[in-house]
Amino acid sequence: MDRIEQFAIPAGAAGTMTDVGTVIERMRAFRSGWPPGDGVAVFNQVYLTVTETLGRHIADGSFTDRDAVSALDVRFAERYLTAVDTAVSGGSPPACWRPLFQYRRHPGVRPLQFALAGINAHIGHDLALAVVDTCRTLGCAPADLEEEFDRVGDLLVLLEEQIREDLMPGPDLLEVADPLTHLAGAWSLERAREGAWSAAKVLWRLRAFPLLAEEFRQRTDGAVGLVGRCLLTPCA
């Protein structure tokens, strides 16, 4: 990887964790403290499953650059963990996460909606920032991470399919006219992942202009939050 000098884009929680195992421990601790029906707990379980799977792939050598994948995974997870810590302490998490925390106990929102809203927030807003954070950590450019980004993304798409299968009610319970059918079909992880990569490249080009970078982040944050609110429209 070509080394480059550091730049001034806000890094959030970057640098507070060092390995995937620590991330998994934090998520398991959250799981033990939240009731199963809690909307954030639903997403946390999904994310824990993804992270455990990714950790196994890192350990068995599935990735060419294990250090880069591990760094990206940790920087990525820190964004979610920081949002949880902020909400728990009474603060205001990024706009993309607020709908999930606000509706986490709504009886009319179904588990699949909670999972998709969390994935939407994390991919739509956090992933681009995690790429930038990782570049700062490793001293590289986004282009150096593209192969690892794509391979992690391919794994996420496969896991999303499993998530939909596990959390979507069976065909005998879900009618074509059920609003959940349309909500679940209106959001695409693949499109969100593509948008995150484009956003990361934009943030990278704006690294010398921190005010513009932050404005871009805020607008992305707000737009992703709006999508999240729509995904959490009560269906029951």
Side-chain angles (χ1 to χ4, degrees):
M1 296 183 181
D2 296 331
R3 301 293 162 178
I4 60 170
E5 60 184 14
Q6 297 296 310
F7 56 93
I9 285 181
T16 61
M17 292 187 179
T18 58
D19 60 78
V20 177
T22 304
V23 169
I24 291 173
E25 289 176 5
R26 289 288 312 279
M27 292 182 189
R28 286 175 177 170
F30 289 157
R31 179 179 61 183
S32 65
W34 292 331
D38 181 285
V40 183
V42 171
F43 169 72
N44 187 77
Q45 181 57 48
V46 167
Y47 196 14
L48 174 59
T49 300
V50 170
T51 306
E52 289 173 336
T53 302
L54 185 60
R56 289 193 293 270
H57 280 268
I58 292 173
D60 67 19
S62 297
F63 296 105
T64 303
D65 191 339
R66 296 198 299 178
D67 290 340
V69 173
S70 181
L72 178 59
D73 184 55
V74 172
R75 298 288 87 79
F76 189 30
E78 282 171 347
R79 295 280 172 178
Y80 160 65
L81 298 174
T82 298
V84 173
D85 289 340
T86 299
V88 169
S89 65
S92 180
C96 61
W97 286 106
R98 289 173 205 161
L100 182 59
F101 286 102
Q102 291 168 351
Y103 284 80
R104 64 190 298 179
R105 296 181 179 89
H106 196 295
V109 179
R110 304 189 198 180
L112 179 61
Q113 293 175 261
F114 289 129
L116 292 180
I119 296 170
N120 169 69
H122 205 33
I123 300 291
H125 173 262
D126 295 351
L127 183 53
L129 297 174
V131 170
V132 174
D133 290 342
T134 303
C135 288
R136 294 181 61 174
T137 299
L138 300 180
C140 66
D144 298 312
L145 299 177
E146 187 167 9
E147 180 178 351
E148 287 72 27
F149 181 96
D150 287 341
R151 295 197 65 184
V152 170
D154 292 341
L155 175 62
L156 290 174
V157 169
L158 292 176
L159 288 170
E160 185 210 14
E161 294 174 357
Q162 185 63 50
I163 290 164
R164 288 176 182 267
E165 181 177 328
D166 291 344
L167 296 180
M168 179 76 83
D172 56 329
L173 300 175
L174 190 63
E175 300 295 335
V176 173
D178 191 312
L180 183 58
T181 304
H182 302 283
L183 283 174
W187 188 85
S188 165
L189 187 147
E190 182 65 27
R191 300 289 83 77
R193 186 182 69 165
E194 291 173 357
W197 183 247
S198 296
K201 292 190 291 184
V202 170
L203 285 170
W204 181 254
R205 289 185 176 275
L206 291 176
R207 63 191 184 277
F209 307 96
L211 293 180
L212 286 176
E214 175 59 14
E215 180 180 352
F216 179 83
R217 186 206 65 78
Q218 289 181 4
R219 292 183 181 278
T220 300
D221 187 22
V224 173
L226 179 60
V227 173
R229 174 62 187 85
C230 292
L231 288 170
L232 293 173
T233 299
C235 292

